[in-house]
Amino acid sequence: MLETPRNRHRPVDASAHLAERRTLDACFLGPYGENDVLLEKLVVEFLRDHVHWRRNFHPEDPPAIPTSAVQDRHYQAFEARMRRELHQLSAALKHSVPFHSPRYIGHMVSDLLLPGLAAQILALPYNPNNVSEDAAPVTVQLEVLAGLQLARMLGYPDDPQRPDCAFGHLTSGGTVANYQALRLALALKSFPVALRAAGIPDLDSPADDWEAFNLLPDDAIGLLERWQRWLGAQPADRQLRWQDRLQSERIEELGISEFFSRHPALRVPQVLAPITAHYSWSKGLKMLGLGRGQLRLLPTSGMRLDAGGLHEALEECARIRQPVLMAVAVLGSTEYGTIDPVHSVVEARNRSARLGLGFSVHVDAAWGGYLTTLFRNPDGTLRERAEVRREYRQFPQPEIHQAFAALAETDSVTVDPHKLGYIPYGAGAFVCRDHRAMALLSEQADYVFRDGQPRDYMSRYRQLGQFIPEGSKPGAAAAAVYVTHRVLPLDYTNFGLLPRQTILAAESFQERARQFAVDTADAVAAMVPFPPDSNLVCLALNPRGNRDLAQANAFVQRLYDELRCDPHQPVQIKQFFASMTTLRPSLIGKREMGRILDELGIDPSTLDGSRGGDRLVILRHTMMNPYLIDEENGISYIELYFEYLSARIRSIRHDGTGP
Ligand SMILES: *Cc1c(COP(=O)(O)O)cnc(C)c1O
């Protein structure tokens, strides 16, 4: 029988292991379309159900389309055209990337969870628009609830009865969620400055602009709440006047340039993020009008944000009075899957506050957000590291466990259900820890207090369009996310089964890579350049005897050409799909770069910007498919991948076309 990590490190008894496998078996359509009957049944059942709903709206209304219409030639001509185009579309889509296959270990995507897929198909013909409850009486509620499900997963307060309950909503993806985080942080940071400028009495506002611009998010929220209560207690006519007066001082009204020219003691704030941050941060700062120049990329060590570097940057900011909008920690970097020390960033926020420098902490967990389910008990508490540790070879290192534990203390998080949530595209999410800040994003005067009482949480957020960057948006996506989280609650015993497979596969991949390096040592130097923090594993290669970086890159590029999607060829001729990334000294530091080049036998002097050889090209593998280790048939696709890679490497070297 196949030696898999599950067999050797089986955490529980065999029957529990089997029960897990059988649950997984019902989760997806499957690599072979094994669950076709199940999906077909669901689709047909709920399509019929939808039709009955149409008919039962006003059954007395007669059918507007005559039953004889199908016999008309125009009808038939239309149907023929439609069929023809659909057949062509369907044929063209056969060139799609086979994300469902365990031979696909490229980008951050895999098969789709059946509950999400079925819920989305089910909801589509109702066409709900989650811009507001008027257009989506059902799904907008589900979206707000999905936000609370994610909040609970992250360790944020998720009880809407609590005044400081979290709030989350869906976006088209992580890019827009990150943008929403920037928007909210800027609104919260600049609000106390506007409040001072508007001269609102009796609110215990900060003493000067610098202090006002440097309140911690929680203190700014406290001030916001005092203002709202105060406003709610004013007579109706004065409410409007005060509201206008404050509005006229806000950055959202004045624009960046006028706001800062009115407050000369303040500079445009910076965003601090690790150099591994996703390029959506650059986009976000451009869109917000703060400028790409305000994105300050910090060094990493071991591909994780370097706490010392962050500390130095913040001390300098405090010294020269450079405001900071937010510090970003990446929970699962896009290129390497590495996990920043969220706990250190939270600590840095608290320490900086004592230097008079206040900012918010955002976690970009677009990729790694759902890994939190590995650490979450069904009752919402955090699992001890030792307990989690028993299920794996190395995972999770202490820093990784600390990073996830610290999520509860951050201000906001981005999570992509369309990545490790296995939900169809068009589903990112933004979650903030304390929903009260959201009042600052509202497009219309948002009277949070009515007669001194806070307004009902759910009814406020059902006017979702008021608070989000987008307008019209698919309610079907919200249905998919919500239903998936109901079927697989976001704890280690349910949803956690999925990321667990991915971590086990990554550990297996890493171990197999070591064996591969030994077995192919005559042809190639191979190494995993840094140990994976989660479920992405990279592989660096250099043909034996070569010392030149450009030659090594050409070799890996050539291999990659065989591992990537090629729209001009049928997908069936591809054996495997992987992806590619690069390592450069500015990213990982000179010393790390030196270590890797040395191990590969590459002469560091050939690392030369002038010849375009300023970076090392490496292969990148994403372990998402739950059938990478197929226990049913005793097949490991990881094993097959390395056999394939080894054969290709020998063949390329033998051709003599390689270096
Ligand atoms: C994928 C990703 C994003 C962007 O998300 P989209 O859904 O592609 O818009 C942002 N940050 C990180 C860390 C990511 O992995």
Side-chain angles (χ1 to χ4, degrees), residues 544-610:
R544 189 57 70 196
N546 171 57
R547 296 195 40 81
D548 182 63
L549 181 87
Q551 294 281 331
N553 286 349
F555 179 79
V556 173
Q557 185 70 52
R558 164 124 198 234
L559 261 181
Y560 173 60
D561 284 340
E562 302 185 12
L563 290 165
R564 73 182 202 194
C565 159
D566 176 356
H568 304 295
Q569 287 180 331
V571 290
Q572 287 79 1
I573 69 169
K574 289 280 168 197
Q575 292 301 312
F576 283 92
F577 285 83
S579 57
M580 189 205 89
T581 187
T582 60
L583 294 176
R584 47 188 201 281
S586 63
L587 188 75
I588 60 172
K590 275 208 173 72
R591 225 190 49 211
E592 275 288 282
M593 194 74 195
R595 170 184 69 82
I596 293 165
L597 293 183
D598 185 56
E599 210 170 309
L600 290 171
I602 294 172
D603 178 356
S605 72
T606 61
L607 182 74
D608 170 5
S610 60

Side-chain angles (χ1 to χ4, degrees), residues 467-488:
F467 301 96
I468 58 175
E470 292 142 305
S472 297
K473 65 202 293 280
V481 175
Y482 173 79
V483 167
T484 300
H485 294 171
R486 292 286 296 178
V487 178
L488 288 171

Side-chain angles (χ1 to χ4, degrees), residues 36 80 84 141 143 150 171 202 236 278 301 359 411 414 565 626 640-641:
D36 56 344
R84 187 184 159 76
Q141 172 95 1
E143 177 157 349
L150 289 170
T171 56
D202 317 326
H278 188 264
S301 67
F359 55 87
D411 299 297
T414 290
C565 159
L640 294 183
Y641 174 68

Side-chain angles (χ1 to χ4, degrees), residues 108 173-176 178 278 280 330 332-334 364 366-367 416 418-419:
M108 298 169 149
T175 300
V176 175
N178 284 342
H278 188 264
S280 51
V330 182
S333 60
T334 318
D364 185 355
W367 171 244
D416 267 357
H418 67 203
K419 284 183 178 165

